[in-house]
Amino acid sequence: MNNAKTKNELLIAIARQHFGSKVMDRKVQAALEAAYRAGKSAATKRQNPDYNHSKHQILIDMLHSDTGATLQQMANATGWKKHSVSCALSAVLKTKWKFDIITIRQAGKACVYRINQQKDPL
């Protein structure tokens, strides 16, 4: 069974469940196809662990450097906003993956974050 036939059968089954035996118009079919494509794309992203953790890996690599990194540097590297980077540091790296992240505060400068090499879980 090819993918086109499988996709059409799936769309028809969804439409029959939702609309009964009524005939689908083109707008409904287009909406169903868009939902099917979006669901398939999301499922692919969830199944691929490299996709989910690639930006986290960028953060880990930056924090492993001797100089560490500021929130702004990490935000620029990942394309995230600073509050998203901060959330990733605390929720994912510290809590979930048990990294010991050191914060270095300097007067008049941005805080620098590093991973404590002595307590590195990797």
Side-chain angles (χ1 to χ4, degrees):
M1 191 178 264
N2 64 25
N3 287 341
K5 188 174 180 182
T6 305
K7 179 180 139 189
N8 287 337
E9 288 174 355
L10 179 63
L11 291 173
I12 291 168
I14 292 170
R16 283 187 181 151
Q17 283 180 343
H18 188 69
F19 298 109
S21 60
K22 296 178 186 175
V23 177
M24 289 190 302
D25 66 355
R26 289 179 189 216
K27 289 181 182 179
V28 172
Q29 185 172 0
L32 287 171
E33 287 177 355
Y36 173 81
R37 283 192 302 274
K40 189 174 181 181
S41 173
T44 302
K45 290 176 184 176
R46 281 192 301 272
Q47 291 171 358
N48 185 354
D50 293 335
Y51 177 86
N52 292 329
H53 301 298
S54 61
K55 289 189 179 183
H56 292 143
Q57 189 60 49
I58 291 170
L59 293 179
I60 292 168
D61 292 342
M62 292 180 79
L63 294 170
H64 268 295
S65 70
D66 293 334
T67 58
T70 64
L71 284 178
Q72 187 62 52
Q73 290 170 335
M74 291 183 276
N76 292 341
T78 59
W80 291 341
K81 294 187 178 186
K82 290 194 297 187
H83 68 271
S84 299
V85 172
S86 179
C87 179
L89 291 177
S90 64
V92 178
L93 298 182
K94 282 184 178 181
T95 305
K96 185 176 179 182
W97 292 343
K98 308 296 184 207
F99 281 100
D100 183 25
I101 299 176
I102 301 169
T103 304
I104 302 167
R105 292 179 174 84
Q106 300 170 344
K109 294 185 179 179
C111 291
V112 176
Y113 299 88
R114 278 189 309 136
I115 290 177
N116 186 352
Q117 304 293 342
Q118 296 168 352
K119 296 183 180 180
D120 190 354
L122 297 178

